[in-house]
Structure formats: structure tokens, C-alpha cells
Amino acid sequence: FQRGKVGNIRRQEQFRPTSTSHPAPALGVIWSLAIMSLEHLHERYNQFASLSDEVQLFWTLASSDDDGNHENNNLIPDDDDIHIAVAYLLPNPLHEHEMHHWLGFGLSPQGGMIGADMMIYLPPSSSYNGTERLLDVNGVAYSFPMLDKCGQDWKLVNYSLVMPTRSDTHAWHIVETNRSLQSNDVNEDLPIINDSSKLIDRTHVVAAWGLLNLDGVEDESNGRLKTRENISHQAVPTNEHLDLTSIIMPHGPLGRVSSAVRFFASTSESNTAKDVVVDLPYIDLIPEQSFSIPDRETTYKNFCFQVEEYPDLMDALVENDHQVHIVAFHDIIGGSSLVHHMDLHGTTNEVLGSDKRLCRVYMDLVHPWEAGSPKIFELPQEAGIPLGGKNGYRAFRVEVHYHNPRRESGLIDRSGVRLYYSIAKRPHVAGLMLLGDYMLKLRGSYTVGSARKNFSTNAAGMRHSFFCPSSCFSKNRLGLQTDDNNSSSVTVFREVLHMHKSGERMTNIHFDLNGTVVRASEANRFDFSQGAGYASRADLPYRISEGDSFLTTCYFSTRGVVWGSSSGNEMCQTFVWYYPKKDYSLTCGYFDPIARRSVSSMDPVGCEMSYDRGEVATETDLGRLHPSEECQAAESSKRSVHSFEPLSADSWPSLFQLVNNWKQSMSTESINFTTTSNSGDVVPVTESNTPLDEVCHLCPNGQRPTRPDAIVEGFSWTCDELDAAIPVIYTQPQLLFFSSNDVAPCKDYHASFGEMCGCPKSEDKPANASASGPNSKPMGYAEEMTRDDIVRLVGGALLLLTLISLFIRQRISLGCL
């Protein structure tokens, strides 16, 4: 306590014991005396973290120096061990010599039971020959854990019972264990890696406790029949078979704890529950008014902001050459547990950034956050994101996805993002690249079965693989930084795998120029209940070099699920943060217009994503096992890269061409894709973009509509948003994905939308009428259109914008220029 080894003790105003058979001492006394009773553990172990009031965690790394420090790398010697003590504050045993609780602790990839590597302590009992046991188990579902079949890794050192002074109602139940830092089997065990760097998320830990059923009751309290399995005795240090479902009673919501720690933090650091950004100025992109969440399952809501709204930031920009750097993000959840994810988008364009009513078309994905992810994200010291000035962000859109499966009403929320910025600009600009199907081209097709039919099959499930070829990582696209081989490269400092609730497994495999697997990220058992994102902890940071490629694969087994944006639909995307960023972010294209000028085959050309799907056999457990082996040894605490055999992506079709063929076969028009110029501006592929010789507003004389919040018939934009968009259509149509050839005369917009938007009526000649008369139109206009034509034209274009704003996670960069 006095040596600074205690971090984050959460004191409550009132301690509530679970037993009331004895009068409780004064408020707070039990907690204070209980903590003092663990002083011997503070003396014995180097590190400490309070997981909750009931659970305290202590540990020592066997190879650490006298100060508890470790070399800062992810590779840990095979002979390194960790010594762990977990103390549980529970009611006293009912009998002096027999304890009636089981105690569990372990590691978790996302913070829940799925994929967890755990130990369970069973005290001595006459029900199993009176011996105490420490079981090595793993979680595959939110049910009874499975005994490991591939070896016992957790080793029992000691169990003890400590009675706090002046308390006869509760006692500390202390289990001391040790285990290797290594993972012995990649499907049952998890390694404890060096997590001292803030580039790596804290290590998720879980603890649970519950009563033992020593009377052999066969049914759970809810009447559901237990599943009894013949558990192999090889995983248990005894010659008997052991049926966990007959002994362990469920812990329930009050008998579990999930937290996160840094096992490799130095003893001088406080092992608090989360990292904190200090001594930096910030702006809050948080709405002023609370939002009333609709009583429907899926809701997307945009909140819009401009840098001019923040006086302190504007002063800093004036004093620092009109630009500072964003260096950290703090995602603030303002009262609702229904926030599924928040995406922060921005624009560097002066025209779009001057009117936040246009925030739907702020397309650069600056910072995504999913429930379950850390709420604080700091960029490395080498990288920042420009804010203000040339190529800096001028305005932002916070898009919040609310997931309300129970369709509750009356709930409000005020969530947003805090941006920390530094006046001292960083050496490099950070970028964000997306892999997988980030534009949801597979929308509406099934994840299991054929693309169009959810047919019955005996396969365990299906995989969907998206290959990003080496042509997307050319020297020109990567930039000037060089790696050890003097080739162009960028440095990746964070990687997140993203699926939804039917997703079961996901991998992102990195190949070098020769097609050799050099690195792989794997969410071996994806747990959507803990969030839609899995942050990779493998070999960070790493480099992408010239000629590298990526294969992103997602696995599913649930039938009847289609690709889409809601929580009940599926996605398969990988977010990759890197530096340095060129003028526009790296991306894997769907359509390469330059390479396709004279090519119409199904084969991918240039920087085009290819795609393949296939059934996954039951005996391979969704690709987790080789068919011939039940246990798969770890290599450097993870699955060997040799286990990820390169698939023959050379024969895969272009995803763009494949989807267009599907659409054509269903008599559906193919999508008119756009490409990105070197400057990052979005322009149509084949259309003219000559500015029109006219100034146009939704209402005559530039007056504002009196019904600004009215939804325009045929699409989801409001009249206020349309009022901001129409002048841009006539000056820079490419910013809104228009061609000047598709723009109607201004008077036709007035006639089509003026009345529904409440435009003031005026007999005066509109200021935007040309000198040749109200019915004349400059060259470049489309022929005069009816109101239905206008609705179809504008509706189609703005509907495309709406879809893009919902589903694209960064500036569109479909071409590979």
C-alpha cells in the first residue's frame, strides 16, 4: 500500500454485504479493513489492480527486474512465467472446514466469456474424494466452459482464507497460481503478451464465482435440463471423470467481473482502469441537446460541427499558422447503453466545410469507435491529423448508430467525441485504410448459402474472402518512407477487425511481395456482445511495404442473415491506421477505371478487390483446425503463419464485376461508380464537370425555406439540407456526385420542391434568372424536366449520397491512380 503498488482502488459510499446474519459495522469500515487484510499480498507481488470491490488481482512476472520492468517487445521467452493471486471477498463458509464456492479467473480476447482462457478452483469436497482442484477451461459460448483437451496450463500454488479484522460476515478467498506467458494451444489458450505500449489495448481479464452444487441436483434453477458431456480426464489432475454441469452452479449477473489491466506496466505506473490524456487542449463534438432515441431497432443520427464554433481553437489556429494536429480521441457515451458505434467523419473542403448543413457529404472517416473498444485512443508520437489550414479538417460529422433491439421508448442520449489537439505538429500525418467489403457491395446477399438463396447444406458454415492485391501498394501510393530493404513503406500502429452479431471468426492475413505470409491478425472466436470491433494485438507496430497484399476473411454459420448495415445484418471490414498518409488515404479499390479502359472480363485488373466464398467443413471448426489434428500448438504465443495457407486468389473474380453481373441477371441497373483524382476530390468517371453559368437556391432570391425540417419526398434529406446543396450543384457539382449534364434549370427545382419546403412566394424576378429570359438556359443544362424527372434525378443522386454517408468509412478512393 505504502510502496505505490496499489492502483485504482474503487471505494464505494456504502459496502453492502451479501449476508445480513450479523450487524454490519460502520459504513466503509469493512472495505477499509478488508483491504488492509491483503497487505501480505502487496508485499509478495509486484503489481496490483482492483477489478471491483469484490475482486483484487496481484501478479509478478518471473523474468522482471527488481523494479518489475520488462523489455518493451511482444516476443516473450518461452520459459517466462507469471505468478498470479486473485482475492475474492465473499461470505464466510457455512462450515469451518468446507468452502461452498467455486472461483474462476482468466483472460479474454474481448472481455466476455467467448474465447476466454480460464482457470476454475474447486475446494476440497467429499463429492470428489476430498481433493482440491484447479481446472483449465475455455469458453466457447455463454454457458458452461469446456475443459481443455490440450494440456493443463494453470498450476495451483496455494489457496487461503483471510478473515478481515472486525468482520465475521465476509472473508477473502485467495487463489494463487502460476502459468506460462505462452499459449500452448491457439484454440483453447491465450498468451499474456507485452502490453506496456499504449498502441496495444489493455489485456481483458474476467473473474467469476458461484455456489457449488454438492448434492448432485440435475436441473438448473430455471428448469432447463443440463447438458451432460463425457469430459476427458486428461485435462483434469485426477483419474476420475468430472461433470462440471453437475457441480458448478451458474454465477449469475452479480457473480462476475470484467476489467482490463496492463500486465507489463512498470510498478511506477498506476494500473488504473483506463489510460487518460492530460495537459492537452480539446474540443467536444457533442450535441448541445439530448437526442430522443426512436423505438425502432436501428437508428443512424448525424450531429454536425464546424471549427468556427470553438473560440479557443480558432485563437490557437491564428497563433500557429492556421493549423494544429489532432493527437487523441475520447469517445464519450452520454447516457445510453444503446450506442452500437460512433463514426467521426470530416471534410477538408472549404466549400463543404463552410455550411454544416452539408455534413452528410463529409466522407473522410477520421475515427471509428465500437461498443466494447477503449474510449480513449492516442496516436503515436510520430503522427497527427491536421486540424484547420491547408489540407486540415474544417468541419465534422459524428454519426451515431443506436441499436435498440427491445424497441424501448423514452430513452435519450448525448454522445460524442472529444478531440485533443497539439499546437506542436507531429512529423507525419496519420491515415486510415479499410479492407474487406467496406462499401457493402454484397448487400442483400446471404452470408450462408448461395448469394441469393439461403439453401440447406450440411456444411458448418461459410467463409467470405476479400483479396487486396499488391498493385494497391505501389511505390507511388505508399509514399516516401522506406523500410529496411530501402523500399517504400508505411507504418501500421492499429488494426481492428469488424463484424456483427452472427460473425464467428475473422482473419486478416498480410503477404509480402513474394506471396509469403508475414503476419496475421485473428479474432478466433468473435464476441459481438462485447462490441463490434476486435483490436489486434499481433506484432504492433508493423510495416506495409511495396508490393504487399492482404486477405480479409470472415466466417459465419447462422442461416438467414444477409449483408447490410444494421446490427442484424453482417459486415466484414478491417480498419488499419498508419502513417505517413499522402494526399489521400490508402484503399483497396473496387473499380480501376484506368486499368479497365479496354478490359471487361471478370478478372480483377489493377487495384481491384477480388472475392471468393466457400463452405467450411465441420471437422475444421470454421477453419480453426487442420482436419487431422485436435490440438494446434502455438508459435510465439499465436497461430503459426504457416497455418494460414495462401488461397489461390489469382482465379478469383473482381467483386465489382461479380456484383454487377448479379445485378444485370436480376434486371437491375449497375451502379455508376466514381473515382478519385490525385487531389482527393471525388469526380464522376465519364461526365462533364464544367461549372454552370447560374446561381441557384432552393427558394427564389436566396430566401430560407420556412419548413427546414421537412423530409423531401422520395429521399431522406431535409429541406434545409437541400437548400444548402443546390447552390453547390450549380458551382461544384462534383462535390455532390453530380454531372453538370444532369442539372436541371433552376426554375424546375423551385417548382418541384419550393411548395413542400415552404419557400416564400415572390412575384419578383428571381435574382438567378439569366439575362436572356426566365425560360432560357445556358449550355450544359439537361432538357427541361417535369417534377417527377427532377425528383428521380435529385432523389437518385442524394440517395446515393445517403448510402455513401452511411456505409463508406472514408473518402471514396475507388481508382488506383
Side-chain angles (χ1 to χ4, degrees):
F1 224 33
Q2 290 79 11
R3 286 177 291 280
K5 298 179 180 178
V6 182
N8 191 36
I9 297 180
R10 293 168 40 198
R11 295 177 173 84
Q12 303 294 322
E13 294 182 1
Q14 181 175 357
F15 179 83
R16 298 179 176 86
T18 56
S19 171
T20 57
S21 58
H22 300 274
L27 298 180
V29 172
I30 290 182
W31 171 251
S32 301
L33 294 175
I35 289 296
M36 292 177 62
S37 302
L38 299 178
E39 179 65 17
H40 67 292
L41 295 180
H42 292 294
E43 295 176 353
R44 188 181 306 169
Y45 293 88
N46 287 342
Q47 287 280 24
F48 161 74
S50 177
L51 308 186
S52 71
D53 289 346
E54 295 86 4
V55 183
Q56 311 296 306
L57 175 64
F58 303 81
W59 70 92
T60 294
L61 297 168
S63 63
S64 59
D65 58 28
D66 293 338
D67 294 325
N69 298 318
H70 245 275
E71 183 182 355
N72 186 15
N73 60 65
N74 290 122
L75 298 178
I76 303 168
D78 290 340
D79 58 353
D80 279 2
D81 288 343
I82 184 170
H83 304 283
I84 294 176
V86 189
Y88 308 76
L89 186 61
L90 301 175
N92 281 348
L94 298 180
H95 305 288
E96 182 177 355
H97 300 293
E98 189 165 32
M99 197 266 283
H100 286 265
H101 286 90
W102 59 267
L103 307 172
F105 173 80
L107 314 173
S108 171
Q110 291 179 257
M113 185 171 176
I114 294 179
D117 174 9
M118 301 171 288
M119 64 85 177
I120 294 180
Y121 173 78
L122 300 180
S125 173
S126 57
S127 297
Y128 36 86
N129 294 337
T131 58
E132 61 183 2
R133 304 187 183 186
L134 192 73
L135 309 179
D136 190 354
V137 300
N138 63 92
V140 297
Y142 284 98
S143 181
F144 288 97
M146 303 291 292
L147 284 168
D148 280 12
K149 300 177 181 178
C150 302
Q152 179 87 8
D153 302 314
W154 297 86
K155 298 178 179 60
L156 179 63
V157 175
N158 186 49
Y159 165 78
S160 59
L161 190 69
V162 176
M163 299 290 295
T165 307
R166 294 175 55 189
S167 172
D168 56 1
T169 63
H170 284 67
W172 286 110
H173 301 260
I174 302 169
V175 178
E176 297 181 75
T177 71
N178 64 25
R179 56 155 283 178
S180 170
L181 296 174
Q182 298 292 302
S183 169
N184 291 328
D185 179 80
V186 294
N187 295 311
E188 294 181 344
D189 304 321
L190 293 176
I192 299 177
I193 70 168
N194 191 328
D195 53 10
S196 59
S197 170
K198 288 188 177 181
L199 296 182
I200 298 175
D201 287 353
R202 291 172 173 269
T203 301
H204 291 288
V205 293
V206 292
W209 58 95
L211 295 174
L212 289 170
N213 177 13
L214 302 179
D215 298 323
V217 178
E218 296 296 333
D219 295 325
E220 295 182 12
S221 58
N222 62 3
R224 178 166 53 90
L225 185 65
K226 292 177 179 289
T227 302
R228 303 173 67 74
E229 299 182 6
N230 186 21
I231 305 296
S232 170
H233 67 273
Q234 294 178 357
V236 186
T238 178
N239 292 324
E240 302 175 20
H241 294 282
L242 189 65
D243 189 352
L244 290 181
T245 63
S246 294
I247 299 173
I248 295 177
M249 298 292 288
H251 52 68
L254 299 180
R256 64 188 180 199
V257 170
S258 177
S259 188
V261 301
R262 291 198 184 279
F263 281 110
F264 280 74
S266 66
T267 54
S268 61
E269 299 178 47
S270 174
N271 216 313
T272 55
K274 55 187 176 182
D275 299 314
V276 179
V277 181
V278 295
D279 298 330
L280 286 174
Y282 61 85
I283 60 174
D284 281 338
L285 306 180
I286 300 174
E288 293 183 359
Q289 303 295 327
S290 296
F291 174 66
S292 180
I293 303 173
D295 56 353
R296 58 176 180 263
E297 182 174 2
T298 299
T299 298
Y300 285 89
K301 176 63 178 177
N302 290 321
F303 302 99
C304 310
F305 309 87
Q306 294 172 289
V307 295
E308 290 81 5
E309 299 174 22
Y310 302 92
D312 291 345
L313 172 60
M314 294 302 295
D315 291 343
L317 292 174
V318 171
E319 296 170 0
N320 295 276
D321 297 326
H322 303 286
Q323 189 171 91
V324 295
H325 270 188
I326 301 170
V327 296
F329 303 89
H330 183 184
D331 298 281
I332 298 174
I333 306 304
S336 172
S337 61
L338 302 182
V339 178
H340 173 271
H341 73 255
M342 292 191 299
D343 287 342
L344 175 62
H345 299 262
T347 182
T348 61
N349 184 274
E350 186 174 357
V351 174
L352 298 179
S354 64
D355 192 337
K356 66 181 182 180
R357 293 179 298 168
L358 294 171
C359 78
R360 283 191 189 232
V361 295
Y362 299 170
M363 294 302 178
D364 283 11
L365 181 59
V366 182
H367 170 67
W369 176 86
E370 288 102 358
S373 300
K375 292 186 174 64
I376 291 181
F377 172 44
E378 290 188 64
L379 301 180
Q381 292 295 321
E382 297 84 357
I385 300 174
L387 178 60
K390 183 179 179 181
N391 298 324
Y393 286 106
R394 300 171 176 270
F396 297 95
R397 167 170 61 95
V398 177
E399 179 190 82
V400 184
H401 174 192
Y402 296 100
H403 178 50
N404 189 3
R406 296 187 178 90
R407 294 174 170 81
E408 299 177 68
S409 60
L411 301 178
I412 61 173
D413 180 71
R414 191 166 165 257
S415 298
V417 183
R418 175 171 293 174
L419 301 186
Y420 289 90
Y421 61 88
S422 170
I423 293 174
K425 291 185 275 293
R426 300 287 177 82
H428 300 292
V429 173
L432 176 59
M433 174 178 67
L434 272 76
L435 301 171
D437 189 12
Y438 57 88
M439 279 186 64
L440 284 174
K441 292 302 165 202
L442 292 175
R443 170 190 301 279
S445 62
Y446 286 101
T447 58
V448 177
S450 71
R452 304 174 208 173
K453 294 182 179 179
N454 186 37
F455 66 78
S456 177
T457 175
N458 293 325
M462 295 196 72
R463 63 158 180 83
H464 297 261
S465 299
F466 306 88
F467 182 68
C468 187
S470 59
S471 53
C472 295
F473 303 100
S474 64
K475 184 175 182 179
N476 181 54
R477 292 172 63 82
L478 287 175
L480 300 178
Q481 185 182 8
T482 59
D483 60 16
D484 296 337
N485 297 320
N486 203 33
S487 63
S488 297
S489 68
V490 297
T491 299
V492 174
F493 57 89
R494 184 171 175 81
E495 181 179 326
V496 174
L497 312 184
H498 174 76
M499 292 191 292
H500 281 183
K501 64 182 179 182
S502 71
E504 297 195 29
R505 182 173 179 248
M506 183 172 177
T507 60
N508 191 50
I509 305 173
H510 179 191
F511 303 92
D512 65 12
L513 178 63
N514 300 316
T516 303
V517 179
V518 295
R519 181 187 171 278
S521 294
E522 178 182 18
N524 196 31
R525 297 191 184 275
F526 191 79
D527 186 1
F528 181 76
S529 71
Q530 300 299 317
Y534 170 79
S536 173
R537 310 174 86 218
D539 305 321
L540 289 172
Y542 68 91
R543 284 192 169 183
I544 302 175
S545 298
E546 183 179 352
D548 288 359
S549 55
F550 285 87
L551 178 64
T552 303
T553 302
C554 292
Y555 297 80
F556 308 93
S557 64
T558 303
R559 305 186 185 284
V561 179
V562 298
W563 296 95
S565 61
S566 75
S567 301
N569 301 147
E570 268 307 330
M571 292 184 174
C572 183
Q573 302 169 345
T574 299
F575 302 91
V576 179
W577 285 260
Y578 69 94
Y579 67 84
K581 172 189 173 184
K582 290 189 66 177
D583 293 336
Y584 53 88
S585 290
L586 291 171
T587 189
C588 190
Y590 286 94
F591 179 76
D592 189 333
I594 295 179
R596 280 219 173 261
R597 284 174 177 170
S598 58
V599 178
S600 59
S601 70
M602 291 290 292
D603 296 331
V605 294
C607 178
E608 287 186 354
M609 181 190 308
S610 57
Y611 165 72
D612 186 61
R613 57 189 283 133
E615 295 183 352
V616 184
T618 303
E619 59 267 21
T620 66
D621 190 23
L622 295 181
R624 297 184 182 100
L625 290 173
H626 292 307
S628 61
E629 59 182 348
E630 185 176 25
C631 299
Q632 193 164 344
E635 182 178 285
S636 297
S637 287
K638 60 189 178 185
R639 193 184 301 274
S640 168
V641 294
H642 303 296
S643 301
F644 301 98
E645 298 178 1
L647 300 175
S648 181
D650 294 339
S651 61
W652 294 359
S654 159
L655 178 58
F656 167 80
Q657 295 292 91
L658 180 65
V659 171
N660 266 9
N661 274 8
W662 289 347
K663 290 177 178 291
Q664 291 170 4
S665 67
M666 295 184 289
S667 301
T668 304
E669 295 182 0
S670 61
I671 298 174
N672 181 22
F673 283 94
T674 59
T675 184
T676 302
S677 69
N678 285 325
S679 64
D681 293 331
V682 180
V683 297
V685 175
T686 59
E687 306 291 357
S688 168
N689 287 286
T690 304
L692 301 172
D693 185 22
E694 185 171 0
V695 176
C696 183
H697 295 276
L698 174 61
C699 299
N701 299 321
Q703 300 178 75
R704 297 289 288 269
T706 61
R707 300 178 59 203
D709 296 328
I711 304 298
V712 179
E713 180 181 335
F715 43 93
S716 63
W717 281 47
T718 66
C719 289
D720 208 28
E721 291 172 319
L722 187 59
D723 180 56
I726 287 179
V728 180
I729 292 175
Y730 277 78
T731 54
Q732 298 187 50
Q734 73 275 8
L735 294 178
L736 299 181
F737 308 98
F738 269 80
S739 163
S740 57
N741 293 334
D742 293 331
V743 180
C746 189
K747 64 183 182 64
D748 290 347
Y749 288 94
H750 298 162
S752 299
F753 304 112
E755 182 177 353
M756 75 169 65
C757 291
C759 286
K761 295 183 179 180
S762 174
E763 299 299 326
D764 297 333
K765 177 180 178 180
N768 51 27
S770 66
S772 302
N775 293 323
S776 65
K777 57 186 176 75
M779 291 184 62
Y781 279 120
E783 295 299 322
E784 188 166 329
M785 301 181 183
T786 66
R787 180 180 183 281
D788 289 343
D789 293 331
I790 299 293
V791 170
R792 281 195 296 269
L793 174 65
V794 180
L798 296 186
L799 178 59
L800 175 61
L801 272 178
T802 301
L803 292 175
I804 291 173
S805 67
L806 288 175
F807 309 124
I808 294 187
R809 297 301 186 100
Q810 69 181 73
R811 169 174 296 160
I812 306 219
S813 185
L814 300 179
C816 299
L817 304 180

